[in-house]
Structure formats: structure tokens, C-alpha cells
Amino acid sequence: RILILDFGSQVTQLIARRVRESGVYCEIWPFTADAERIRAFAPRGIILSGGPASVLSPDAPRIPEVVFDMAIPVLGICYGQQAMCLQLGGQVESSDHREFGRAFVDILEDCALFRGAWARGGREQVWMSHGDRVTELPPGFRIVAVSEGAPFAVIADEGRRLYGVQFHPEVVHTPHGAALLRNFTHNVAGCTGTWTMAGFRDMEIARIREQVGSGRVICGLSGGVDSSVAAVLIHEAIGDQLTCIFVDHGMLRAGEAEEVVETFRGRFNIQLVHRDASDLFLNALDGVTDPEIKRKTIGRLFVEVFEEEAVKLGGAQFLAQGTLYPDVIESVSFTGGPSVTIKSHHNVGGLPERMNMQLVEPLRELFKDEVRELGRELDIPETIVGRHPFPGPGLAIRIPGNITREKLDLLRRVDSVFLEEIRAAGLYDAIWQAFAVLLPVRTVGVMGDGRTYDQACALRAVTSTDGMTADVYPFDMGFLNRVASRIVNEVRGINRVTYDITSKPPGTIEWE
Ligand code: XMP
């Protein structure tokens, strides 16, 4: 396996993605990780990430000495390269020729990193982003590729198996970057590339059994990808020692609650408590229009109801959660300042402490699409595994203003038509998230010979890789016309359809 030491680059996670895609297990740790912990992890190679700091500043992050003491292969990327050079006796200067974005490197010599991908004498496109640059190599290193702004674009000390690249091989803008990383992990560090989802599944099942023993586990199930995969995996490991609790807050989409119950009880034979708490939630939300109060009310009630059901079951020592890797990476932050709460996201945080339970988090080493792959490995239906994300507070945050059963019903029908058309057009998988929003506005229309005065709705569809930023999905006009016409004709009470063309930022994906 490979260890990635993080110096705070925005794209460190992509290094991990590329390494895992090549069948090699890896983890990301902060550069401050303890030397003993690094030794104990016993990596076959270490990758040093990029980072926003300047190696020339007095308090610049340093590479732990243990990295070089272990005499294993090391690849430094951008900041990692510069820090390596400086610490091994080379020189780095801040450059007046800053390079950002696309650049070209000329390959001067053969190098183990280039095997099968880059040829001597060739020119390759790469993605650069740096201000400082190496000006003098440490003893033992040679230059193997250059660029206009970075005469030391790729350097190597093949005796000690130390490599440095000034550009970012992990991003797609470096077309052969993945091959370079693969050469490092496979050819230089000697990893075999046998890490697979089936292997992960077996390892994780063994781990769950060991952690839980004969104890009992409860798991909050929402019908979303993460909690579904976690539940099925844990069920494979410990069978009926697991009970799932599905808190139905009454703000799910059409047919969703039935599908969850049918899938988990019917198909997987998992013990499932289905608590229909819609009255409780809708009563508490009566008259609430402020988005943050909606979110907090739903979050609080969710925890209360979940806890009530857990107490009824009695005696569980473990709480399962579908926490993913991006949530647990110990992030390196150089900005320090407090971040602003844009929205208070809904989860069951705080429960394990309150209930004195231990956590079981079998997905905490996986990225979202790896979770999907694991779900397929576990035979979870594609309708769940490939499903768009759906927020914890549900349709509540897609109805600006106060929420009523009638409005929920109207929104469900609009949403169903939109998604039906998206599926029929074969667009579902190309879209990160698509949904309808019920607007708190009535507008005038004409249908047949009559005047209408009904509600307006908005459609939203975005592409994204992680929900942090998003682009509007560019439907063709014919598609939008078809959807709009179906909605107005089939959903009584809606007479106007708009398409939200705001990207994120400045908009957020949800309306509240
Ligand atoms: P925003 O609206 O913040 O959404 O751009 C980003 C992603 O997060 C989802 N989302 C939530 N998910 N609980 C969740 O589990 C929440 O409270 C919540 N709010 C937003 C949203 O659907 C999108 O995928």
C-alpha cells in the first residue's frame, strides 16, 4: 500500500483516487503524522502532495525525516518536490515566471516513471500550478524533463528511488498523469495492484465481525446510497444482530418509503423498523418558513425519533453510519479562520455520545463512487446504487415558505414527471442531481378558453463531482418543452414551469 502525505493541496484526494483506480490501496494522512504511525503503516511508497505554502517561508511545512529514513520510494508533487529538494540539499527560489494551468514538458531522458507512457524526445501536456521552483538539485538527482517555466519539471534519483514532479499528474488536465502515478506505485514501489472491491468487502466483513462480536448494531436507513450499502454489508457480516431504523419524516419522494421497506425487508431480509413519523414532523413544521429553522427542527426531531426507536429495541451497543472517506480525511488547513455556515446539514451527529454507543463505519475508507461499486458487488439494485443524492430534510427544503401535505403532494407529482422524462431520455446517469422545487408564487395562465391562477414550479438539474460546485445541465429546448407541457397538463394546480440556470457558486444546489 501507499501513503499520501498531505500538504494541503486542493487536489490531494485526486491522488488517492488515481492510486486506488490502479488497484493499490492508499490513505491520505496530514504531513504532521507521527513517525511511528508512518512506520507502522509500512507503506511500499510515499507520495508527497502539493500545497499552498511556500517552502521558502520560515514556518513552511516540512517532510517528516522518517520518510527518507525508511529508504522506500518517494514521489514529490509540486510542493512535495520542492520540499524534498530543499531538505535533501538542493535550492528552491521564488520565480518571477509563475506557471499556472496548461504547460508542456519536454522529455529529455528515460525514467522509470515514464515507462510505456512518455517517450524520450517527446513533448507532453501537463497541468502546472506553482510560484516557487527548484533551481539546484540535491546530490544524486538528475533532470529527466523540462518545461519553459520549470527547468526541473521532472527529477529523479533512481538509486534512492526518489522522484519529483513540478506539475500535477493527478488531474485530468495532465493526460498521461495516471500512467505516471501507476508507474510509481507498480514499477517503482512494487505494488501488485490487486486491491479490488471484492477483496475490500471480505476484509470489511471480517473487520465488522471482529469489532461487533456478539453485540447488537442499529443503523439509520434513509434509502440513500451510503446508508443502504452500509446496512447490506453489515447484514452480510452479522445477520440478525443488525436492526435498521427507517424514520419516515413524510417528506420523501413518491413511492420512496415503500421502496425502502420492500428492498430491505423483502429482498435482503434485514430486520427493519419503519416508523411513520410524518404527523409529528409536519405538525412541528406548521407555519415554519425560515430555512434554517426548518432544517434544525427536522434534524432535532429525527434524532429524537431515532433515539426513541433505538431505546424500544433496547440493548444495542453499536451504531452504524455510512460515513465516507471525504468526511474523515484529516484535512490540512492553512486558512485558519472560522468558516461560515451556509446551511446546517442534517445528520445523526451527537447520537453516539448521547446514547453511549460505539460507531461502526464500514465505508469510512471509500469515496462515493467506490461505495457504488461496493453496492453493486453486494447486489443492491441499480435504482438505489445509482441514485442521485437526496438531502436529509427531504422535500421540506424544496418548498420555500410553509409546508403542507397538499404542497408536498403537488411537488411529488411534478418531481415524478421530471424524473420520468430524464430516465426516458437516458440522461439520469449524466446528471448529478435533478429535482423540482415548488415556488410560493401563483401566476396567471390560460388553458383552453379559461384563465388559470395556479402555482409555479422550478426544475433543477446539475452536474457535479462532489456537490461542492455544480454546473447547470444543458438540456435541449425540446426536452424542456416536453417536460413543461407534461407537468402543466398532468399536474393540476401547476400552470408555469421554469428552469433554474444558476450554477454553484453563486447558487447552492438546493433552494433552501
Ligand atoms: P447545497 O444545497 O448545499 O447541497 O448546494 C449540496 C449537496 O448536499 C445535499 N444536501 C444535503 N444532504 N442533508 C444531506 O444529507 C442536508 O441537510 C442537505 N442539504 C443539502 C444537496 O442535495 C446536494 O447534493
Side-chain angles (χ1 to χ4, degrees):
R1 53 194 171 179
I2 294 286
L3 179 63
I4 298 165
L5 286 183
D6 182 24
F7 292 88
S9 158
Q10 300 285 327
V11 288
T12 303
Q13 287 196 23
L14 289 179
I15 306 174
R17 302 304 316 276
R18 298 287 103 81
V19 171
R20 288 189 184 186
E21 277 161 14
S22 73
V24 175
Y25 184 70
C26 65
E27 291 190 11
I28 302 172
W29 293 3
F31 71 91
T32 48
D34 180 69
E36 278 320 298
R37 201 177 148 211
I38 294 176
R39 267 187 208 285
F41 187 68
R44 290 207 173 178
I46 291 185
I47 299 177
L48 310 168
S49 86
S54 164
V55 283
L56 302 171
S57 77
D59 51 356
R62 286 177 61 85
I63 304 164
E65 285 303 325
V66 63
V67 168
F68 302 113
D69 292 347
M70 287 194 295
I72 55 172
V74 178
L75 171 65
I77 295 175
C78 197
Y79 184 90
Q81 182 206 38
Q82 295 155 10
M84 182 161 73
C85 279
L86 209 58
Q87 282 177 237
L88 296 178
Q91 293 271 340
V92 177
E93 280 176 10
S94 78
S95 149
D96 44 6
H97 185 109
R98 297 163 81 82
E99 263 188 309
F100 287 101
R102 200 162 68 134
F104 289 89
V105 297
D106 293 311
I107 319 302
L108 304 181
E109 300 204 28
D110 292 324
C111 167
L113 290 184
F114 300 159
R115 214 176 295 167
W118 289 9
R120 183 162 46 152
R123 171 166 261 228
E124 289 283 340
Q125 183 188 319
V126 299
W127 188 259
M128 290 273 188
S129 158
H130 66 103
D132 298 342
R133 62 173 191 182
V134 175
T135 51
E136 193 183 315
L137 287 180
F141 277 85
R142 65 196 175 96
I143 302 169
V144 289
V146 296
S147 83
E148 210 172 293
F152 300 84
V154 185
I155 57 173
D157 175 346
E158 304 209 280
R160 286 187 289 175
R161 297 183 298 170
L162 305 178
Y163 299 85
V165 295
Q166 183 59 78
F167 54 88
H168 288 274
E170 66 275 29
V171 303
V172 291
H173 311 84
T174 300
H176 289 119
L180 253 63
L181 288 169
R182 189 189 159 89
N183 276 330
F184 178 73
T185 56
H186 286 64
N187 298 335
V188 179
C191 296
T192 48
T194 48
W195 189 73
T196 61
M197 228 7 112
F200 178 83
R201 168 180 116 162
D202 296 343
M203 185 179 86
E204 210 46 51
I205 286 177
R207 242 184 359 197
I208 295 166
R209 286 187 182 141
E210 189 181 316
Q211 185 192 359
V212 171
S214 58
R216 286 183 52 204
V217 182
I218 52 174
C219 175
L221 197 61
S222 67
V225 183
D226 307 340
S227 65
S228 300
V229 173
V232 174
L233 181 65
I234 295 171
H235 184 251
E236 271 211 11
I238 58 167
D240 282 350
Q241 286 164 257
L242 169 75
T243 306
C244 289
I245 299 176
F246 169 40
V247 176
D248 181 352
H249 54 32
M251 291 165 291
L252 298 172
R253 289 164 294 188
E256 207 163 20
E258 295 77 6
E259 191 191 351
V260 169
V261 174
E262 167 51 31
T263 306
F264 291 91
R265 267 196 207 140
R267 182 181 176 120
F268 288 107
N269 223 351
I270 293 178
Q271 302 189 78
L272 173 72
V273 175
H274 173 202
R275 166 82 180 266
D276 178 356
S278 46
D279 286 338
L280 182 75
F281 280 85
L282 293 180
N283 288 339
L285 288 171
D286 189 22
V288 176
T289 55
D290 180 90
E292 273 303 286
I293 300 180
K294 275 186 194 172
R295 284 171 169 277
K296 294 216 163 101
T297 306
I298 296 169
R300 175 177 54 79
L301 284 180
F302 189 91
V303 168
E304 278 173 27
V305 174
F306 188 88
E307 197 171 355
E308 217 173 278
E309 291 302 324
V311 169
K312 274 193 219 158
L313 287 170
Q317 302 85 351
F318 299 92
L319 176 70
Q321 283 186 343
T323 316
L324 303 192
Y325 197 44
D327 307 326
V328 299
I329 294 175
E330 302 165 61
S331 61
V332 175
S333 165
F334 291 94
T335 50
S339 61
V340 184
T341 303
I342 308 288
K343 296 176 185 185
S344 51
H345 272 216
H346 159 106
N347 58 34
V348 279
L351 253 187
E353 296 83 49
R354 260 171 71 167
M355 300 186 63
N356 196 17
M357 295 174 95
Q358 275 187 59
L359 283 177
V360 181
E361 296 178 309
L363 313 181
R364 56 182 287 126
E365 273 132 32
L366 301 184
F367 291 102
K368 187 87 179 184
D369 51 346
E370 291 175 326
V371 171
R372 295 205 158 107
E373 204 183 320
L374 178 60
R376 293 187 183 108
E377 192 69 43
L378 292 163
D379 275 332
I380 300 177
E382 198 56 35
T383 49
I384 292 182
V385 169
R387 171 174 282 189
H388 291 170
F390 184 66
L395 301 180
I397 57 173
R398 296 177 180 173
I399 302 181
N402 76 310
I403 300 158
T404 62
R405 283 187 187 274
E406 294 68 40
K407 286 186 185 175
L408 282 165
D409 204 47
L410 210 54
L411 179 57
R412 282 193 185 102
R413 288 161 57 207
V414 176
D415 196 72
S416 295
V417 173
F418 185 34
L419 278 137
E420 218 175 279
E421 286 295 331
I422 285 177
R423 286 209 170 86
L427 300 175
Y428 190 84
D429 292 337
I431 294 171
W432 164 266
Q433 231 173 332
F435 55 89
V437 178
L438 188 69
L439 301 185
V441 210
R442 294 175 77 194
T443 72
V444 174
V446 52
M447 266 185 107
D449 293 328
R451 174 186 193 267
T452 58
Y453 187 52
D454 284 333
Q455 263 185 276
C457 68
L459 306 178
R460 181 111 171 104
V462 295
T463 55
S464 176
T465 50
D466 53 11
M468 303 297 287
T469 61
D471 287 314
V472 175
Y473 188 79
F475 290 120
D476 68 60
M477 215 51 210
F479 175 87
L480 289 172
N481 284 341
R482 193 159 65 240
V483 175
S485 137
R486 269 198 66 191
I487 290 172
V488 173
N489 282 302
E490 293 173 31
V491 186
R492 227 192 145 124
I494 299 284
N495 69 348
R496 193 173 293 268
V497 180
T498 64
Y499 186 48
D500 177 355
I501 54 164
T502 322
S503 62
K504 171 181 180 175
T508 53
I509 296 177
E510 305 288 347
W511 275 44
E512 291 197 328

